[in-house]
Amino acid sequence: MRSAGCGHEGTTVTRLRCADWSCKGTTVTRMCSAGWSCEGTTVTRMRCAGWSCEGTTVTRMRSPHHAGTDCPKENKNVHALEGVFSAACTLEETTLHVTDNMDLHILDHRLRVISISKNGLVNFTHPLIKLIFLRSRTRCKFFSLTETPENYTVVLDEEGFKELQPSEHLMVEGSIWLPLNVASNGNASSSSQAVGVTKIAKSVIAPLAEQHVSVFMLSTYQTDFILVKEKDLSVVISTLEEEFNIYKEVGGESVPIHCQDVPNGLQKNGKEAIQPTVHPVVIPKNQFCVMSLDPDTLPSIATTLIDVLFYSNSPKEDAANQGLDCIKFFSFSLIDGYISLVMDTEAQRQFPADLLFTSSSGELWRMVRIGGQPLGFDECGIVAQISQPLADSDISAYYISTFSFDHALVPEEDIVSVTDMLQHQRKDPAAS
Amino acid sequence: MRSAGCGHEGTTVTRLRCADWSCKGTTVTRMCSAGWSCEGTTVTRMRCAGWSCEGTTVTRMRSPHHAGTDCPKENKNVHALEGVFSAACTLEETTLHVTDNMDLHILDHRLRVISISKNGLVNFTHPLIKLIFLRSRTRCKFFSLTETPENYTVVLDEEGFKELQPSEHLMVEGSIWLPLNVASNGNASSSSQAVGVTKIAKSVIAPLAEQHVSVFMLSTYQTDFILVKEKDLSVVISTLEEEFNIYKEVGGESVPIHCQDVPNGLQKNGKEAIQPTVHPVVIPKNQFCVMSLDPDTLPSIATTLIDVLFYSNSPKEDAANQGLDCIKFFSFSLIDGYISLVMDTEAQRQFPADLLFTSSSGELWRMVRIGGQPLGFDECGIVAQISQPLADSDISAYYISTFSFDHALVPEEDIVSVTDMLQHQRKDPAAS
């Protein structure tokens, strides 16, 4: 069902794109936008809940903009929540907030991007286990660890960074990175149903690429973080403030911010657009899933997760993977209390089936790994190059940058068309 | 009840010292010796099950000599089993085996004794977590880690030792140590009810001290390991073979061994007995418990155990302990698949109450720490000095040697008499 413009009470709908009006009692597997009230609705996956939705059972809610994070927790019915919100309003108190703009939040984390060498990981087991499992012992609020065949990429805030001792096995990217997060408004009349980086391709990724702002993407189960260098912040704001209401999170408060508020404001990079490099891509054969976990059950998978993260890097296991054209890729993140895991189905089998959860459709994803040589941190347009055509085709994509390469995850059923698209792009870069 | 010489069917007994005859249907919390049949009996703690005990439910069995380890596992009713036995006989097949001697087993492990400095532990988190939690990744079968205020003591076999990289934070005692284990015979007419090192004080500890054999003790929930240096083995055998049937475990088999079988056999140290040093002791105020855990539930306490072992060593927490005259002491061992934990009640509170188990009487223990200066590994008679008077008074004691000091644990209710005894010993060393 594309649009439920009027009341369809009692209907069972697998995919509902827009529920502009009331649809009380409806069972919806996937709801794109619940612009109005939908009391009593059972929604497996809800993109935007712009209005009140008292009594609704939502398995996955991407953007409950007005509701705020505190409500769904009280409601206890939302398993995963995309977007980070500071307002502690209740669902009942929600009021209409009409705007043509979407909201962009500059989150209150100053991040470092680090690589740990493969054989150097043993030296960092102690701080990493602390950061992953012992929340009471650290003030780190943003932590991500991704294993690739080359190395381990760690993205973490300054509190977490303090835990890591300098070492020959550690490479620290020189910049401070700030994570941005797009919160779709309830009434944002997006025509796209795609999730992930695809939905911000035209509004965020492309404009930043045009302004020569390098981005480091980190998609998680809950949301997509766009990391930009702190020094580029004024350019970022001046570039995006036409399209977005921009807020800076400061100590739990969302403060509106404008270009003139930022030192070196109003400044754009202003370089001429140059033809972006078309990087070679690899499409490994393994299938990936993007999962989450109740933080309270993290101890239950501790030994398995420790085994997979810290002890699975034997030459034998790697060789077995390589032989099958598979890639070693495992990502764990714990950001503002939310856990996200990206792993292939081989790794997934090691975990108890009842603790990790993914969207009810149980999608599997295929990887497009971008880059022949390490990409570095200065080149612009890499994410744009792949996310724009995905947006044109309305294909969802998670996107995870690492220290050396970038990784897009697209739905398994779309991998053929994505491959075709990329081959076309390589032959005719100017067309993209 | 001290002795149930005849039938007391249906009686409920808290402590039964000798059940020489049948006591069908009896519920016994602690049974010292079940010399005859006790079908249908529910026993929480059984010291010696010399005869058949079909259908018996035993929470803790110290020495099922004739039954062998395989039976209780099939029976599924024994939670902890003291002693290591190779025979795979069934309870039904048990036959009377009369001998005046007890059995001493030289176990099939070649051990190293290591210390890791307090601030060096972070460098060993990776291998230690592997040895503790990831049994499928290591062939180490004997592992013990004890934290004391000075350092961490690790006792482990050669497979485990391979996992530890040399480091300035690691001190390795030069000897190979062999663990001995006494298996009480069913009909051993011991008059003692005490457990732990006390029951082997006169038969093992004292004779070895007289022959100048240095021992390193490691009591666990399940049994007491007497570690001797490999170079002393011939002296050990010649010293103990009058009192014991000595077996060497070789690839799962128990092979009888005699003095002449050992290189340098028949050799005794033969030094003259010298007056042993009386070491100062400290009696910290904390109460300890000696616990065990089903190895299958080890993952459930993984994050707590990791926290306690690897992250609790902050100056702040240590200072808090010191102020109360308490000692930092925590011991974990995983030996031949059996887990033993010794911790104070403060640490115990951090663990889920339903997973760790101890004897149903829930005894608490007080510590006597022996040594003002680090004791070294060559002095003889240290264990004997404390275990002999304990044996004279029939007071149970666990005994845990570490790299620097020795630690005896005695029942809380006996600490006053033990303290008196030790003060007397200091005043008049010759009398002890």
Side-chain angles (χ1 to χ4, degrees):
Chain A
M1 182 180 284
R2 282 246 150 190
S3 167
C6 272
H8 287 261
E9 293 89 332
T11 322
T12 300
V13 185
T14 304
R15 280 191 178 211
L16 178 60
R17 193 174 279 244
C18 299
D20 280 332
W21 291 88
S22 71
C23 44
K24 296 170 197 178
T26 313
T27 302
V28 185
T29 302
R30 227 174 214 245
M31 180 184 281
C32 201
S33 164
W36 289 85
S37 68
C38 46
E39 295 92 328
T41 314
T42 302
V43 184
T44 304
R45 194 160 174 184
M46 180 185 280
R47 182 85 56 85
C48 310
W51 282 81
S52 69
C53 44
E54 295 92 326
T56 310
T57 303
V58 183
T59 305
R60 183 169 175 193
M61 180 186 280
R62 285 185 80 95
S63 299
H65 175 61
H66 301 291
T69 31
D70 289 347
C71 317
K73 281 182 188 166
E74 284 168 12
N75 212 326
K76 306 266 187 218
N77 282 325
V78 179
H79 293 173
L81 186 65
E82 168 156 337
V84 178
F85 301 86
S86 59
C89 62
T90 64
L91 291 161
E92 287 74 16
E93 287 166 9
T94 307
T95 52
L96 177 58
H97 176 89
V98 178
T99 166
D100 287 337
N101 283 0
M102 291 193 292
D103 293 348
L104 181 85
H105 292 254
I106 303 163
L107 305 183
D108 196 8
H109 301 293
R110 301 181 78 238
L111 307 179
R112 306 302 299 248
V113 179
I114 288 159
S115 105
I116 299 175
S117 69
K118 280 281 178 170
N119 57 16
L121 187 75
V122 294
N123 304 298
F124 293 94
T125 308
H126 192 271
L128 293 175
I129 282 181
K130 179 173 171 181
L131 291 167
I132 295 170
F133 296 105
L134 305 177
R135 278 181 293 165
S136 65
R137 294 205 176 267
T138 171
R139 288 191 290 179
C140 176
K141 300 291 180 206
F142 195 112
F143 175 83
S144 161
L145 172 63
T146 303
E147 180 178 8
T148 56
E150 305 75 36
N151 47 39
Y152 296 85
T153 299
V154 181
V155 181
L156 76 181
D157 62 19
E158 290 173 311
E159 285 290 340
F161 184 57
K162 281 185 210 162
E163 303 283 346
L164 306 181
Q165 297 297 313
S167 151
E168 58 182 323
H169 298 289
L170 202 71
M171 286 177 67
V172 183
E173 204 284 317
S175 313
I176 297 288
W177 295 79
L178 304 178
L180 313 182
N181 185 245
V182 171
S184 318
N185 258 324
N187 64 331
S189 54
S190 164
S191 63
S192 166
Q193 188 172 272
V195 299
V197 74
T198 305
K199 75 175 176 209
I200 52 170
K202 291 186 188 298
S203 58
V204 181
I205 303 297
L208 291 180
E210 279 162 26
Q211 291 301 320
H212 301 278
V213 173
S214 171
V215 300
F216 186 96
M217 279 297 306
L218 184 59
S219 292
T220 67
Y221 179 86
Q222 291 83 15
T223 194
D224 305 284
F225 296 101
I226 308 131
L227 274 58
V228 297
K229 292 175 186 170
E230 191 173 44
K231 72 174 178 60
D232 289 335
L233 187 59
S234 63
V235 184
V236 169
I237 293 175
S238 65
T239 305
L240 299 178
E241 70 184 350
E242 283 168 34
E243 182 114 6
F244 291 90
N245 303 315
I246 303 182
Y247 298 90
K248 187 155 174 53
E249 307 274 331
V250 182
E253 296 276 312
S254 290
V255 182
I257 191 167
H258 299 283
C259 190
Q260 57 268 31
D261 303 333
V262 184
N264 305 319
L266 292 168
Q267 173 194 316
K268 293 199 178 193
N269 278 4
K271 297 176 199 156
E272 276 182 40
I274 48 164
Q275 187 65 41
T277 312
V278 177
H279 293 280
V281 300
V282 174
I283 298 175
K285 290 198 172 154
N286 28 357
Q287 300 167 308
F288 290 88
C289 34
V290 181
M291 311 188 85
S292 189
L293 176 71
D294 181 338
D296 293 338
T297 62
L298 184 58
S300 309
I301 64 157
T303 50
T304 308
L305 188 55
I306 287 171
D307 195 357
V308 169
L309 279 175
F310 298 101
Y311 299 91
S312 299
N313 194 26
S314 75
K316 189 179 152 205
E317 288 175 51
D318 285 357
N321 266 347
Q322 298 300 334
L324 294 164
D325 298 326
C326 288
I327 193 174
K328 185 97 174 196
F329 186 94
F330 187 98
S331 184
F332 170 90
S333 65
L334 176 53
I335 298 173
D336 290 322
Y338 292 96
I339 294 171
S340 174
L341 292 146
V342 179
M343 67 184 87
D344 67 11
T345 49
E346 181 81 19
Q348 186 200 2
R349 275 192 285 273
Q350 298 182 50
F351 289 87
D354 55 335
L355 293 176
L356 300 184
F357 56 84
T358 186
S359 60
S360 64
S361 51
E363 296 135 318
L364 291 174
W365 302 78
R366 287 286 296 276
M367 178 179 289
V368 178
R369 187 174 106 134
I370 299 133
Q373 294 295 314
L375 297 168
F377 294 89
D378 294 322
E379 189 182 328
C380 310
I382 303 171
V383 188
Q385 201 172 33
I386 190 163
S387 66
Q388 286 230 61
L390 289 172
D392 292 339
S393 309
D394 200 20
I395 294 171
S396 295
Y398 292 99
Y399 198 101
I400 298 176
S401 302
T402 64
F403 207 85
S404 303
F405 299 107
D406 277 9
H407 308 80
L409 290 165
V410 300
E412 190 176 32
E413 62 267 28
D414 296 319
I415 189 67
V416 174
S417 56
V418 170
T419 308
D420 289 349
M421 185 192 88
L422 291 169
Q423 279 177 344
H424 175 73
Q425 200 175 45
R426 280 184 69 80
K427 284 181 195 149
D428 183 12
S432 65
Chain B
M1 183 180 286
R2 282 248 149 188
S3 168
C6 273
H8 287 261
E9 293 89 333
T11 322
T12 299
V13 185
T14 303
R15 278 191 179 212
L16 178 58
R17 193 177 279 243
C18 298
D20 280 331
W21 291 90
S22 71
C23 44
K24 296 171 197 175
T26 313
T27 301
V28 184
T29 302
R30 225 172 216 245
M31 179 184 282
C32 199
S33 164
W36 289 87
S37 66
C38 46
E39 294 91 330
T41 314
T42 301
V43 184
T44 303
R45 196 159 174 183
M46 180 185 280
R47 182 87 54 87
C48 309
W51 281 83
S52 69
C53 45
E54 295 92 327
T56 311
T57 302
V58 183
T59 304
R60 183 168 176 193
M61 180 186 281
R62 284 184 82 93
S63 300
H65 174 62
H66 299 294
T69 32
D70 290 349
C71 319
K73 281 183 189 163
E74 284 166 13
N75 211 328
K76 306 264 187 217
N77 281 327
V78 178
H79 293 173
L81 186 63
E82 168 156 335
V84 178
F85 300 86
S86 60
C89 64
T90 64
L91 290 162
E92 287 75 16
E93 288 167 9
T94 306
T95 53
L96 177 58
H97 176 90
V98 178
T99 164
D100 287 336
N101 282 1
M102 290 193 294
D103 292 348
L104 181 84
H105 292 255
I106 303 163
L107 305 182
D108 196 8
H109 302 293
R110 302 180 79 238
L111 306 178
R112 306 302 297 248
V113 178
I114 288 158
S115 108
I116 299 175
S117 70
K118 279 280 177 171
N119 57 16
L121 188 75
V122 295
N123 304 299
F124 294 94
T125 309
H126 192 272
L128 293 176
I129 282 182
K130 179 173 171 182
L131 291 167
I132 295 170
F133 296 105
L134 306 177
R135 279 180 293 164
S136 65
R137 295 205 176 268
T138 172
R139 287 190 289 179
C140 176
K141 301 290 181 206
F142 194 114
F143 175 83
S144 161
L145 172 64
T146 304
E147 180 178 9
T148 57
E150 304 75 36
N151 48 38
Y152 296 84
T153 299
V154 181
V155 181
L156 77 182
D157 62 20
E158 290 174 309
E159 287 289 340
F161 184 58
K162 281 184 207 162
E163 304 283 346
L164 306 181
Q165 297 297 313
S167 151
E168 57 181 326
H169 299 289
L170 202 71
M171 285 176 68
V172 183
E173 203 284 317
S175 313
I176 296 287
W177 296 79
L178 304 179
L180 314 182
N181 185 245
V182 171
S184 318
N185 259 324
N187 65 330
S189 54
S190 165
S191 63
S192 166
Q193 186 173 270
V195 300
V197 74
T198 305
K199 75 174 177 211
I200 52 170
K202 291 186 188 297
S203 57
V204 180
I205 303 298
L208 290 179
E210 279 162 26
Q211 291 303 320
H212 300 277
V213 173
S214 171
V215 301
F216 187 96
M217 279 298 305
L218 184 58
S219 291
T220 67
Y221 179 85
Q222 290 83 16
T223 193
D224 305 285
F225 296 102
I226 309 132
L227 275 58
V228 297
K229 293 175 185 169
E230 191 174 45
K231 71 173 178 59
D232 289 335
L233 187 59
S234 63
V235 184
V236 169
I237 293 175
S238 66
T239 305
L240 300 178
E241 68 184 351
E242 281 167 36
E243 182 112 8
F244 291 91
N245 303 314
I246 303 181
Y247 298 92
K248 187 157 174 52
E249 306 274 330
V250 182
E253 297 275 315
S254 290
V255 182
I257 191 167
H258 299 283
C259 190
Q260 58 267 31
D261 302 333
V262 182
N264 305 319
L266 292 168
Q267 174 193 315
K268 293 201 179 192
N269 279 3
K271 297 175 199 157
E272 275 182 41
I274 49 165
Q275 186 66 38
T277 311
V278 177
H279 294 279
V281 299
V282 174
I283 299 175
K285 289 200 173 154
N286 28 355
Q287 301 167 306
F288 289 87
C289 33
V290 181
M291 312 189 84
S292 188
L293 177 71
D294 181 340
D296 293 338
T297 63
L298 184 59
S300 309
I301 64 157
T303 51
T304 308
L305 189 55
I306 287 172
D307 196 356
V308 169
L309 279 176
F310 297 103
Y311 299 91
S312 299
N313 194 27
S314 74
K316 188 179 151 206
E317 288 174 52
D318 285 357
N321 267 347
Q322 298 300 336
L324 294 163
D325 298 325
C326 288
I327 193 173
K328 185 99 174 195
F329 186 94
F330 187 97
S331 183
F332 169 89
S333 65
L334 175 53
I335 297 173
D336 290 321
Y338 292 97
I339 294 171
S340 174
L341 293 145
V342 179
M343 65 184 89
D344 67 10
T345 49
E346 182 82 19
Q348 186 201 1
R349 274 192 287 274
Q350 299 181 49
F351 289 87
D354 55 335
L355 293 176
L356 300 184
F357 56 85
T358 186
S359 61
S360 66
S361 51
E363 295 136 318
L364 292 174
W365 303 79
R366 288 286 296 277
M367 178 179 288
V368 178
R369 187 173 106 134
I370 300 133
Q373 294 295 315
L375 296 169
F377 294 89
D378 294 321
E379 188 182 329
C380 311
I382 302 170
V383 188
Q385 199 171 34
I386 189 162
S387 65
Q388 286 229 62
L390 289 171
D392 293 338
S393 310
D394 200 20
I395 294 172
S396 295
Y398 293 98
Y399 198 101
I400 299 177
S401 301
T402 65
F403 207 85
S404 303
F405 299 107
D406 278 8
H407 308 80
L409 290 164
V410 300
E412 190 176 33
E413 62 267 28
D414 296 320
I415 190 66
V416 173
S417 56
V418 170
T419 308
D420 289 348
M421 183 192 90
L422 291 169
Q423 281 178 342
H424 175 73
Q425 201 173 46
R426 280 184 69 80
K427 284 181 196 151
D428 184 12
S432 66

